[in-house]
Amino acid sequence: MKNWRDNTAFKGWLMVSPLAAVLIIFLVLPIVLIVIVSFWRATEFSIIPAFEFDNYAFLFGSPVTYTVFFNTFKYALITWVFTLLIGFTVAYYLAFHIRTLTWQIALFLLCTIPFWTSNIIRMISWIPFLGRNGIANSTLMSWGVIDEPIEWLLFSDFAVILAFVHLYTLFMVVPIFNTMMRIDKSLIEAARDAGANGAQILWNVIIPLTKPGIMIGTIFVVTLVMGDFITVRFMSGSQSANVGRLISNDIALLQYPSASATAIVLLLTVLLTIGILLRFVDIRKEL
């Protein structure tokens, strides 16, 4: 009996060890290296291995850091609101108003068509549309709605958030739609038989049962927005910055210790945010 248990444990270890090795090599080890480098010191000409807190002291002592983190949270929060509203509406329509599975799959695949191209192409495609002489301004002027081009359509926070919503809405649609498809339709019928109207069914039945999907989508969207830097660079015209952009600038200047320190603070911030979100709902049932 003992030998059988030992053999079972050994086989289980053999099955898990390749995955554990991959996680250690490609996830844990790089993070450990970033933590180590974050304590090094960089000069104009060299990087000196040391154990100093200068990078963190400079990071937390600079008002730019707080402005950049505020911008990062602002982009994440506003993007989350719009992706949640759009994603929930699309998922609700597909799950409860499209009756046949074939049409559900077809319309869902239709939502994924923009994702057949890269993020950069989809993001840059907004520039000729929102520009001063772009399609939006030209159309509004030809209709007589405006007399002169609207300047804030491009290279502004509006453009950044619009691009974020366009890029990441699907990451909200998929988990919410998956959760809604698991809802027992008899619960909705029972609520309707009990005299509940559509709004009451939505608020008291559908939304509570969809919370795990909403939370998964929230984690996807928030982490992607907080780690993004290329969208802010292009869509703001380098007039705004987030934490990702700050890290990118440090890397471009070969200030790897400073970039590592900022990356560690961002990682801890994201992990703290995810930890807070996981306190509200148990998403393990969806995994």
Side-chain angles (χ1 to χ4, degrees), residues 2-218:
K2 182 178 179 181
N3 292 334
W4 179 81
R5 289 180 178 177
D6 292 341
N7 291 334
T8 303
F10 181 73
K11 291 179 180 179
W13 182 84
L14 288 179
M15 294 176 62
V16 173
S17 57
L19 179 59
V22 170
L23 290 176
I24 292 173
I25 294 174
F26 294 102
L27 179 63
V28 177
L29 184 59
I31 293 177
V32 171
L33 293 176
I34 293 174
V35 172
I36 294 173
V37 174
S38 69
F39 292 102
W40 291 3
R41 178 160 52 92
T43 64
E44 295 180 358
F45 307 102
S46 62
I47 297 177
I48 302 172
F51 188 82
E52 300 177 352
F53 291 92
D54 292 351
N55 296 314
Y56 291 98
F58 176 79
L59 185 64
F60 289 108
S62 173
V64 175
T65 301
Y66 300 98
T67 302
V68 168
F69 269 89
F70 174 78
N71 286 338
T72 302
F73 279 106
K74 177 183 67 176
Y75 292 143
L77 178 61
I78 299 176
T79 303
W80 171 76
V81 171
F82 283 102
T83 54
L84 177 60
L85 292 175
I86 298 173
F88 188 91
T89 303
V90 172
Y92 180 85
Y93 177 77
L94 292 177
F96 297 108
H97 289 275
I98 304 300
R99 300 300 180 183
T100 62
L101 181 61
T102 302
W103 274 106
Q104 285 179 337
I105 296 175
L107 292 176
F108 180 79
L109 291 177
L110 183 65
C111 295
T112 66
I113 288 178
F115 289 79
W116 296 357
T117 59
S118 69
N119 280 12
I120 295 179
I121 293 176
R122 285 183 286 133
M123 174 187 59
I124 294 179
S125 65
W126 284 104
I127 295 179
F129 183 82
L130 299 174
R132 179 179 176 84
N133 299 316
I135 298 174
N137 276 318
S138 299
T139 302
L140 292 175
M141 291 178 65
S142 65
W143 288 351
V145 178
I146 57 176
D147 297 326
E148 58 183 17
I150 301 175
E151 300 290 344
W152 51 262
L153 288 181
L154 186 61
F155 302 142
S156 62
D157 285 347
F158 170 81
V160 173
I161 293 170
L162 179 64
F164 275 144
V165 172
H166 177 212
L167 293 175
Y168 301 133
T169 295
L170 189 64
F171 291 94
M172 188 67 78
V173 173
V174 173
I176 294 178
F177 174 70
N178 179 61
T179 305
M180 285 183 175
M181 290 299 294
R182 299 184 182 186
I183 296 177
D184 190 352
K185 301 301 188 293
S186 62
L187 296 175
I188 299 175
E189 295 297 330
R192 187 174 290 112
D193 293 339
N197 56 35
Q200 290 173 329
I201 294 174
L202 177 65
W203 184 257
N204 296 305
V205 178
I206 295 177
I207 291 180
L209 295 176
T210 313
K211 282 183 179 179
I214 293 175
M215 202 56 58
I216 293 175
T218 298

Side-chain angles (χ1 to χ4, degrees), residues 211-231:
K211 282 183 179 179
I214 293 175
M215 202 56 58
I216 293 175
T218 298
I219 292 173
F220 284 155
V221 171
V222 169
T223 54
L224 288 170
V225 172
M226 293 185 71
D228 189 283
F229 71 94
I230 194 69
T231 303

